Amino acid sequence: MTAQKSPIIEIRNVSKRFGKVTAVDNVSLDILAGEFFVLLGPSGCGKTTLLRMIAGFEMPTEGQILIDGQDMAHVPPNRRPVNMVFQSYAVFPHMSVADNVAYGLKIAGVGRSEREERVREALELVKLGGFEDRMPDQMSGGQRQRVALARSLVMRPKVLLLDEPLSALDAKLRAQMQFELADLQDQVGITFVTVTHDQDEALSMACRIAVMNKGDVAQLATPSDLYEYPANRFVADFVGSVNLFEGKLTLDEPDKAAVDCPGVGKIYLNHGVTGPHGADVWVALRPEKIYLHVPGAGKAVQAAGQDAPEGHNFARGRITGMSYLGDITLFDITLDDGATIRVSRPNLSRHDQEDFEWNDRVSMHWRADSPVVLLS
Amino acid sequence: MAEQHWKENPKGFWAVSATPLLWTLLFFLVPMSFVWLYSFGSNVGLTEIEISGTLDNYKRATEWLYVSIFLKSLAVAALVTVICLVVGFPVAMALTFASEKWRPWLLLGIMLPFWTNLLIRTYALMMLLGTQGYANKTLGWLWDGASWLKVFFGMQPLPTWEPVQLLYNNFAVVLGLVYVHLPFMVLPLYSALDRLDKSLIEASLDLGAGHLRTLMKVVMPLAMPGVIAGVMITLIPALGAYLTPDLMGGTDSQMIANVIERQFKRANDWPFGAALSFVLIYAMFILIALQSLRKPRRGEAK
């Protein structure tokens, strides 16, 4: 990615209230020129409101939005250098594909020959070459979305806004479009700002993701940082699946830390967490970072002992739930100490799923760099 | 539920449709066919009509006197329809974009006149428009105010206010018909606009269009079925309007329905009245046929 460092959109202390409901609560963030930025969050978290404020369909109650250095406070949507792809695509049903794509160019006063050239180019770009004369009702949902994309891209906006662009597509097409959108963004070099509630979509497409919760930005980070270094329980839980354990910080030094989690055991980390000693904290542990072992052989204890002091980073329990998903198998394991823990295990060979059965006793361990300590 | 052809369930079909079919047959088609037969007859006594198959009544209906009244009725109805459309469209837009809290009340305001008798509504409007009515009083008050202002600035006062004749002329007929028919225009327009995906409007704005262009290029074309429906159910009843021109019109503002009424009542010429009625009905049939011939464009809300 060739993300330049200068911000194209600056959101400064923006709040939006609808009556007594606060949809966006004092958000400040910069979106960099040329990046693929994703606003991720559950429904009602304010992400769509924020996007609509960038487009100009909603005005901030407080705060300021700058696009390319210009304050947008008094700029109506039809004069902003941004274009939007709507969740329903909003392709004009009474116009052909070519007329749809040419709509904005006609208004901008682009001459006929240049207009036709640019429409053709835009349609090529979204792989709809030759569809010029089709009417929208003769097209599939995926094709209509491409029309909406072409209609926006043909305007060469500084920023393209996409509101849940893939939510109406079926799973296969969605996966394909995730790649295509990322490719397209790379190709045209326009800044994309996408709103989604789908974490897979966000992780696969974004340069950076802002996770929103209750009108606030819970964390702004790259996809891998978001997943591996969540800042709080909300992000850890919303992005991917996670085991969260409550515990007390018993050791916190620059190069090591330990948390005593009732119901699970002692968890050791090979780095410091800079939390107050004895504080109540939460430990997040991803299911795929836990290794399962057949008990009795002492393998779990041995493996855990490689990077943690004795008695840390392993647990024993009984399989109380199993769900075979093809590529992986999910296990719910009730620990001897009472807690339930979820483990995912890749089915690396065709017989892997036969190793463990319902009600089997198992032991497990994890590496000292896997757990994440969360203070909030 | 999938659509079912009536032949798959004939018993159910007849159970549901027998009553309305019988009703239509007995109270609409049978009397109408009598009227239709009368239109080919002639008066032989005070109450006797001989159905002789003569076309004299239709020949008389094509005399310029009647054709001119017919054309004038059509012109008045068309003008009323256009005014209703121009006034009704913004009203329908306002209804569509009103907040959830307000919309039911605004709709109630549109529907309320339906619950009041047409005669009472018309008389109420007449009271408003009379020479001693509020419209004239307000105008007179404004006139006096303007006169006072002129004196205040040291100019000659205006001549004394003479009430304007707002009733018993063509203006009153058009105004009255617009007043009566406006809800018929607003409701189909509202239903068409309400079905319109609002993000289409936002998309148009987003692509750089102003509000006027969005209205003309996106909203209007997609609301066309509502416009056509509104035009039809305003034009047809306005063409056959009877009460409003009778009460609010002057001697020169009678419409075709008033002429028909006179044939049946005062002139006691049922055969000619019947012929005129059927000319009017045929004209309406043609209007409806023209509308159904129009090919619906793609993408319109069905």
Side-chain angles (χ1 to χ4, degrees), chain A residues 90-135:
Chain A
V91 172
F92 303 128
H94 57 302
M95 296 181 198
S96 70
V97 169
D99 287 343
N100 261 284
V101 179
Y103 186 80
L105 294 178
K106 265 187 213 164
I107 292 162
V110 174
R112 191 193 168 89
S113 58
E114 191 196 337
R115 202 165 68 213
E116 280 172 0
E117 180 58 26
R118 276 171 71 174
V119 167
R120 204 186 51 75
E121 259 174 36
L123 286 175
E124 292 286 332
L125 195 65
V126 298
K127 297 173 186 161
L128 278 183
F131 281 76
E132 281 82 353
D133 297 326
R134 288 277 188 102
M135 295 302 286

Short mmCIF file of all heavy atoms in Angstrom, two decimals, chain A residues 90-135:
data_model
loop_
_atom_site.label_atom_id
_atom_site.label_comp_id
_atom_site.label_asym_id
_atom_site.label_seq_id
_atom_site.Cartn_x
_atom_site.Cartn_y
_atom_site.Cartn_z
N ALA A 90 -28.97 2.35 -4.74
CA ALA A 90 -29.63 3.55 -5.25
C ALA A 90 -29.31 3.80 -6.72
O ALA A 90 -29.12 4.93 -7.15
CB ALA A 90 -29.25 4.78 -4.41
N VAL A 91 -29.27 2.73 -7.51
CA VAL A 91 -29.12 2.88 -8.96
C VAL A 91 -30.46 3.37 -9.49
O VAL A 91 -31.51 2.83 -9.13
CB VAL A 91 -28.74 1.53 -9.59
CG1 VAL A 91 -28.78 1.60 -11.10
CG2 VAL A 91 -27.37 1.09 -9.11
N PHE A 92 -30.45 4.43 -10.33
CA PHE A 92 -31.71 4.99 -10.82
C PHE A 92 -32.40 3.95 -11.71
O PHE A 92 -31.89 3.60 -12.77
CB PHE A 92 -31.47 6.28 -11.60
CG PHE A 92 -30.76 7.33 -10.79
CD1 PHE A 92 -29.62 7.95 -11.27
CD2 PHE A 92 -31.23 7.68 -9.54
CE1 PHE A 92 -28.97 8.91 -10.52
CE2 PHE A 92 -30.59 8.65 -8.78
CZ PHE A 92 -29.45 9.26 -9.27
N PRO A 93 -33.59 3.49 -11.30
CA PRO A 93 -34.20 2.37 -12.02
C PRO A 93 -34.75 2.75 -13.39
O PRO A 93 -35.00 1.89 -14.21
CB PRO A 93 -35.34 1.92 -11.09
CG PRO A 93 -35.62 3.09 -10.22
CD PRO A 93 -34.35 3.88 -10.10
N HIS A 94 -34.93 4.05 -13.64
CA HIS A 94 -35.53 4.47 -14.91
C HIS A 94 -34.47 4.89 -15.92
O HIS A 94 -34.80 5.42 -16.96
CB HIS A 94 -36.51 5.61 -14.67
CG HIS A 94 -35.89 6.81 -14.00
ND1 HIS A 94 -35.27 6.72 -12.77
CD2 HIS A 94 -35.81 8.09 -14.38
CE1 HIS A 94 -34.83 7.91 -12.43
NE2 HIS A 94 -35.13 8.77 -13.39
N MET A 95 -33.18 4.64 -15.60
CA MET A 95 -32.12 5.00 -16.53
C MET A 95 -31.28 3.77 -16.85
O MET A 95 -31.10 2.91 -16.00
CB MET A 95 -31.20 6.05 -15.89
CG MET A 95 -31.85 7.37 -15.59
SD MET A 95 -30.62 8.48 -14.88
CE MET A 95 -31.68 9.70 -14.14
N SER A 96 -30.75 3.74 -18.07
CA SER A 96 -29.87 2.64 -18.45
C SER A 96 -28.57 2.75 -17.65
O SER A 96 -28.31 3.76 -17.00
CB SER A 96 -29.57 2.71 -19.94
OG SER A 96 -28.74 3.82 -20.19
N VAL A 97 -27.78 1.70 -17.72
CA VAL A 97 -26.50 1.69 -17.02
C VAL A 97 -25.65 2.90 -17.42
O VAL A 97 -25.12 3.62 -16.57
CB VAL A 97 -25.75 0.37 -17.32
CG1 VAL A 97 -24.32 0.45 -16.82
CG2 VAL A 97 -26.48 -0.79 -16.66
N ALA A 98 -25.57 3.15 -18.73
CA ALA A 98 -24.74 4.26 -19.21
C ALA A 98 -25.28 5.60 -18.70
O ALA A 98 -24.51 6.47 -18.27
CB ALA A 98 -24.69 4.26 -20.73
N ASP A 99 -26.62 5.76 -18.70
CA ASP A 99 -27.20 7.01 -18.21
C ASP A 99 -26.95 7.19 -16.72
O ASP A 99 -26.74 8.30 -16.24
CB ASP A 99 -28.70 7.04 -18.50
CG ASP A 99 -29.00 7.27 -19.97
OD1 ASP A 99 -28.06 7.72 -20.68
OD2 ASP A 99 -30.12 7.00 -20.41
N ASN A 100 -27.02 6.08 -15.99
CA ASN A 100 -26.72 6.14 -14.56
C ASN A 100 -25.30 6.67 -14.34
O ASN A 100 -25.09 7.57 -13.53
CB ASN A 100 -26.84 4.75 -13.94
CG ASN A 100 -28.18 4.55 -13.23
OD1 ASN A 100 -28.38 5.07 -12.14
ND2 ASN A 100 -29.07 3.83 -13.87
N VAL A 101 -24.36 6.07 -15.05
CA VAL A 101 -22.96 6.43 -14.82
C VAL A 101 -22.68 7.85 -15.32
O VAL A 101 -21.88 8.58 -14.75
CB VAL A 101 -22.03 5.39 -15.50
CG1 VAL A 101 -20.57 5.77 -15.30
CG2 VAL A 101 -22.30 4.00 -14.94
N ALA A 102 -23.40 8.26 -16.38
CA ALA A 102 -23.15 9.58 -16.95
C ALA A 102 -23.86 10.71 -16.19
O ALA A 102 -23.59 11.88 -16.42
CB ALA A 102 -23.61 9.61 -18.41
N TYR A 103 -24.76 10.33 -15.27
CA TYR A 103 -25.61 11.33 -14.58
C TYR A 103 -24.80 12.48 -13.97
O TYR A 103 -25.05 13.65 -14.24
CB TYR A 103 -26.43 10.61 -13.52
CG TYR A 103 -27.47 11.47 -12.83
CD1 TYR A 103 -28.69 11.72 -13.43
CD2 TYR A 103 -27.24 12.00 -11.56
CE1 TYR A 103 -29.65 12.49 -12.80
CE2 TYR A 103 -28.20 12.77 -10.93
CZ TYR A 103 -29.41 13.01 -11.55
OH TYR A 103 -30.35 13.78 -10.91
N GLY A 104 -23.81 12.11 -13.16
CA GLY A 104 -23.01 13.14 -12.49
C GLY A 104 -22.17 13.96 -13.45
O GLY A 104 -21.98 15.16 -13.26
N LEU A 105 -21.68 13.30 -14.51
CA LEU A 105 -20.84 14.00 -15.48
C LEU A 105 -21.65 15.05 -16.25
O LEU A 105 -21.16 16.15 -16.52
CB LEU A 105 -20.23 13.00 -16.47
CG LEU A 105 -19.22 12.01 -15.89
CD1 LEU A 105 -18.74 11.05 -16.97
CD2 LEU A 105 -18.04 12.74 -15.27
N LYS A 106 -22.91 14.69 -16.59
CA LYS A 106 -23.78 15.64 -17.28
C LYS A 106 -23.96 16.88 -16.43
O LYS A 106 -23.89 18.01 -16.93
CB LYS A 106 -25.15 14.99 -17.53
CG LYS A 106 -25.26 14.37 -18.91
CD LYS A 106 -26.69 13.91 -19.14
CE LYS A 106 -26.69 12.67 -20.00
NZ LYS A 106 -27.97 11.96 -19.98
N ILE A 107 -24.21 16.68 -15.14
CA ILE A 107 -24.43 17.82 -14.25
C ILE A 107 -23.16 18.66 -14.16
O ILE A 107 -23.21 19.89 -14.16
CB ILE A 107 -24.85 17.32 -12.86
CG1 ILE A 107 -26.23 16.69 -12.95
CG2 ILE A 107 -24.84 18.45 -11.84
CD1 ILE A 107 -26.59 15.81 -11.82
N ALA A 108 -22.01 17.97 -14.14
CA ALA A 108 -20.74 18.70 -14.04
C ALA A 108 -20.41 19.41 -15.35
O ALA A 108 -19.42 20.15 -15.42
CB ALA A 108 -19.62 17.74 -13.65
N GLY A 109 -21.21 19.17 -16.39
CA GLY A 109 -21.00 19.86 -17.66
C GLY A 109 -19.88 19.29 -18.50
O GLY A 109 -19.29 19.98 -19.33
N VAL A 110 -19.60 18.00 -18.31
CA VAL A 110 -18.56 17.35 -19.11
C VAL A 110 -19.11 17.10 -20.51
O VAL A 110 -20.24 16.62 -20.67
CB VAL A 110 -18.14 16.01 -18.45
CG1 VAL A 110 -17.17 15.27 -19.35
CG2 VAL A 110 -17.53 16.28 -17.08
N GLY A 111 -18.34 17.44 -21.51
CA GLY A 111 -18.78 17.33 -22.90
C GLY A 111 -19.07 15.90 -23.32
O GLY A 111 -18.60 14.95 -22.69
N ARG A 112 -19.87 15.77 -24.39
CA ARG A 112 -20.40 14.48 -24.77
C ARG A 112 -19.31 13.43 -25.03
O ARG A 112 -19.39 12.31 -24.52
CB ARG A 112 -21.26 14.66 -26.03
CG ARG A 112 -22.07 13.45 -26.38
CD ARG A 112 -22.63 13.58 -27.79
NE ARG A 112 -23.16 12.29 -28.22
CZ ARG A 112 -24.42 11.92 -28.00
NH1 ARG A 112 -25.25 12.70 -27.38
NH2 ARG A 112 -24.84 10.73 -28.41
N SER A 113 -18.29 13.79 -25.82
CA SER A 113 -17.31 12.77 -26.20
C SER A 113 -16.47 12.34 -24.98
O SER A 113 -16.21 11.16 -24.78
CB SER A 113 -16.40 13.29 -27.32
OG SER A 113 -15.76 14.46 -26.90
N GLU A 114 -16.10 13.33 -24.16
CA GLU A 114 -15.33 12.98 -22.97
C GLU A 114 -16.18 12.14 -22.01
O GLU A 114 -15.70 11.20 -21.39
CB GLU A 114 -14.84 14.24 -22.25
CG GLU A 114 -13.82 13.92 -21.15
CD GLU A 114 -13.59 15.06 -20.19
OE1 GLU A 114 -13.85 16.21 -20.55
OE2 GLU A 114 -13.15 14.77 -19.06
N ARG A 115 -17.47 12.52 -21.96
CA ARG A 115 -18.39 11.81 -21.08
C ARG A 115 -18.47 10.34 -21.47
O ARG A 115 -18.34 9.45 -20.63
CB ARG A 115 -19.75 12.48 -21.20
CG ARG A 115 -20.66 12.25 -20.03
CD ARG A 115 -21.80 13.22 -20.07
NE ARG A 115 -22.71 12.96 -21.18
CZ ARG A 115 -23.37 13.91 -21.84
NH1 ARG A 115 -23.21 15.18 -21.51
NH2 ARG A 115 -24.18 13.60 -22.83
N GLU A 116 -18.68 10.11 -22.76
CA GLU A 116 -18.81 8.73 -23.23
C GLU A 116 -17.55 7.94 -22.95
O GLU A 116 -17.61 6.76 -22.56
CB GLU A 116 -19.16 8.72 -24.72
CG GLU A 116 -20.63 8.98 -24.94
CD GLU A 116 -20.99 9.18 -26.40
OE1 GLU A 116 -20.08 9.11 -27.26
OE2 GLU A 116 -22.17 9.42 -26.68
N GLU A 117 -16.42 8.59 -23.15
CA GLU A 117 -15.14 7.93 -22.92
C GLU A 117 -14.99 7.54 -21.44
O GLU A 117 -14.62 6.42 -21.11
CB GLU A 117 -14.01 8.88 -23.36
CG GLU A 117 -12.59 8.36 -23.18
CD GLU A 117 -12.35 7.06 -23.94
OE1 GLU A 117 -13.03 6.81 -24.94
OE2 GLU A 117 -11.49 6.29 -23.47
N ARG A 118 -15.34 8.50 -20.58
CA ARG A 118 -15.17 8.23 -19.15
C ARG A 118 -16.16 7.19 -18.65
O ARG A 118 -15.84 6.38 -17.76
CB ARG A 118 -15.30 9.54 -18.36
CG ARG A 118 -13.97 10.29 -18.32
CD ARG A 118 -14.11 11.67 -17.75
NE ARG A 118 -14.36 11.68 -16.31
CZ ARG A 118 -14.40 12.80 -15.60
NH1 ARG A 118 -14.19 13.97 -16.18
NH2 ARG A 118 -14.65 12.76 -14.31
N VAL A 119 -17.38 7.20 -19.19
CA VAL A 119 -18.38 6.19 -18.80
C VAL A 119 -17.87 4.80 -19.19
O VAL A 119 -17.93 3.84 -18.40
CB VAL A 119 -19.74 6.47 -19.47
CG1 VAL A 119 -20.67 5.28 -19.35
CG2 VAL A 119 -20.37 7.72 -18.87
N ARG A 120 -17.32 4.71 -20.42
CA ARG A 120 -16.82 3.44 -20.90
C ARG A 120 -15.68 2.94 -20.00
O ARG A 120 -15.66 1.80 -19.58
CB ARG A 120 -16.33 3.58 -22.34
CG ARG A 120 -16.30 2.30 -23.15
CD ARG A 120 -15.67 2.55 -24.51
NE ARG A 120 -14.38 3.22 -24.41
CZ ARG A 120 -13.25 2.62 -24.02
NH1 ARG A 120 -13.26 1.35 -23.72
NH2 ARG A 120 -12.12 3.30 -23.94
N GLU A 121 -14.77 3.87 -19.68
CA GLU A 121 -13.63 3.53 -18.81
C GLU A 121 -14.10 3.03 -17.45
O GLU A 121 -13.62 2.01 -16.95
CB GLU A 121 -12.79 4.80 -18.57
CG GLU A 121 -11.53 4.89 -19.39
CD GLU A 121 -10.87 6.25 -19.18
OE1 GLU A 121 -10.91 6.77 -18.04
OE2 GLU A 121 -10.32 6.79 -20.16
N ALA A 122 -15.06 3.77 -16.87
CA ALA A 122 -15.54 3.41 -15.53
C ALA A 122 -16.19 2.04 -15.54
O ALA A 122 -16.02 1.25 -14.62
CB ALA A 122 -16.51 4.47 -15.01
N LEU A 123 -16.95 1.76 -16.61
CA LEU A 123 -17.62 0.47 -16.68
C LEU A 123 -16.61 -0.65 -16.88
O LEU A 123 -16.77 -1.75 -16.33
CB LEU A 123 -18.67 0.47 -17.80
CG LEU A 123 -19.94 1.26 -17.46
CD1 LEU A 123 -20.87 1.32 -18.66
CD2 LEU A 123 -20.67 0.67 -16.26
N GLU A 124 -15.56 -0.38 -17.67
CA GLU A 124 -14.47 -1.36 -17.83
C GLU A 124 -13.86 -1.67 -16.47
O GLU A 124 -13.59 -2.82 -16.12
CB GLU A 124 -13.37 -0.81 -18.74
CG GLU A 124 -13.76 -0.64 -20.20
CD GLU A 124 -13.85 -1.97 -20.92
OE1 GLU A 124 -13.14 -2.91 -20.52
OE2 GLU A 124 -14.64 -2.05 -21.88
N LEU A 125 -13.65 -0.59 -15.71
CA LEU A 125 -12.98 -0.70 -14.42
C LEU A 125 -13.74 -1.64 -13.48
O LEU A 125 -13.13 -2.42 -12.74
CB LEU A 125 -12.88 0.70 -13.80
CG LEU A 125 -11.94 0.88 -12.63
CD1 LEU A 125 -10.50 0.65 -13.07
CD2 LEU A 125 -12.08 2.28 -12.04
N VAL A 126 -15.06 -1.58 -13.52
CA VAL A 126 -15.85 -2.45 -12.64
C VAL A 126 -16.31 -3.71 -13.38
O VAL A 126 -17.21 -4.41 -12.94
CB VAL A 126 -17.06 -1.72 -12.04
CG1 VAL A 126 -16.61 -0.57 -11.16
CG2 VAL A 126 -18.00 -1.22 -13.13
N LYS A 127 -15.66 -3.98 -14.51
CA LYS A 127 -15.93 -5.20 -15.30
C LYS A 127 -17.38 -5.27 -15.78
O LYS A 127 -18.02 -6.31 -15.72
CB LYS A 127 -15.57 -6.44 -14.48
CG LYS A 127 -14.09 -6.46 -14.16
CD LYS A 127 -13.74 -7.57 -13.22
CE LYS A 127 -12.28 -7.44 -12.81
NZ LYS A 127 -11.97 -8.17 -11.62
N LEU A 128 -17.90 -4.13 -16.22
CA LEU A 128 -19.25 -4.12 -16.79
C LEU A 128 -19.22 -3.61 -18.22
O LEU A 128 -20.21 -3.07 -18.71
CB LEU A 128 -20.18 -3.25 -15.94
CG LEU A 128 -20.79 -3.87 -14.69
CD1 LEU A 128 -21.74 -2.89 -14.04
CD2 LEU A 128 -21.52 -5.16 -14.99
N GLY A 129 -18.07 -3.74 -18.89
CA GLY A 129 -17.98 -3.32 -20.28
C GLY A 129 -19.03 -4.05 -21.11
O GLY A 129 -19.22 -5.25 -20.94
N GLY A 130 -19.73 -3.31 -21.98
CA GLY A 130 -20.75 -3.94 -22.81
C GLY A 130 -22.14 -3.95 -22.19
O GLY A 130 -23.09 -4.37 -22.82
N PHE A 131 -22.25 -3.47 -20.96
CA PHE A 131 -23.56 -3.46 -20.30
C PHE A 131 -24.25 -2.10 -20.41
O PHE A 131 -25.26 -1.88 -19.77
CB PHE A 131 -23.41 -3.82 -18.82
CG PHE A 131 -23.25 -5.29 -18.57
CD1 PHE A 131 -22.06 -5.94 -18.82
CD2 PHE A 131 -24.32 -6.04 -18.08
CE1 PHE A 131 -21.92 -7.29 -18.60
CE2 PHE A 131 -24.18 -7.39 -17.84
CZ PHE A 131 -22.98 -8.02 -18.10
N GLU A 132 -23.69 -1.19 -21.23
CA GLU A 132 -24.16 0.20 -21.28
C GLU A 132 -25.67 0.34 -21.39
O GLU A 132 -26.27 1.19 -20.74
CB GLU A 132 -23.50 0.94 -22.45
CG GLU A 132 -22.08 1.41 -22.20
CD GLU A 132 -21.04 0.31 -22.43
OE1 GLU A 132 -21.45 -0.84 -22.66
OE2 GLU A 132 -19.84 0.62 -22.37
N ASP A 133 -26.30 -0.49 -22.25
CA ASP A 133 -27.71 -0.27 -22.54
C ASP A 133 -28.66 -1.07 -21.66
O ASP A 133 -29.87 -0.98 -21.80
CB ASP A 133 -27.99 -0.59 -24.02
CG ASP A 133 -27.21 0.34 -24.94
OD1 ASP A 133 -27.03 1.51 -24.55
OD2 ASP A 133 -26.76 -0.11 -26.01
N ARG A 134 -28.10 -1.85 -20.75
CA ARG A 134 -28.97 -2.61 -19.85
C ARG A 134 -29.74 -1.69 -18.93
O ARG A 134 -29.25 -0.64 -18.54
CB ARG A 134 -28.13 -3.55 -18.98
CG ARG A 134 -27.55 -4.71 -19.71
CD ARG A 134 -28.56 -5.83 -19.83
NE ARG A 134 -27.87 -6.99 -20.39
CZ ARG A 134 -27.48 -8.02 -19.65
NH1 ARG A 134 -27.72 -8.05 -18.37
NH2 ARG A 134 -26.86 -9.03 -20.23
N MET A 135 -30.94 -2.14 -18.54
CA MET A 135 -31.67 -1.43 -17.49
C MET A 135 -31.38 -2.13 -16.16
O MET A 135 -31.17 -3.34 -16.13
CB MET A 135 -33.17 -1.46 -17.79
CG MET A 135 -33.59 -0.70 -19.04
SD MET A 135 -33.13 1.04 -19.04
CE MET A 135 -34.30 1.74 -17.87
#
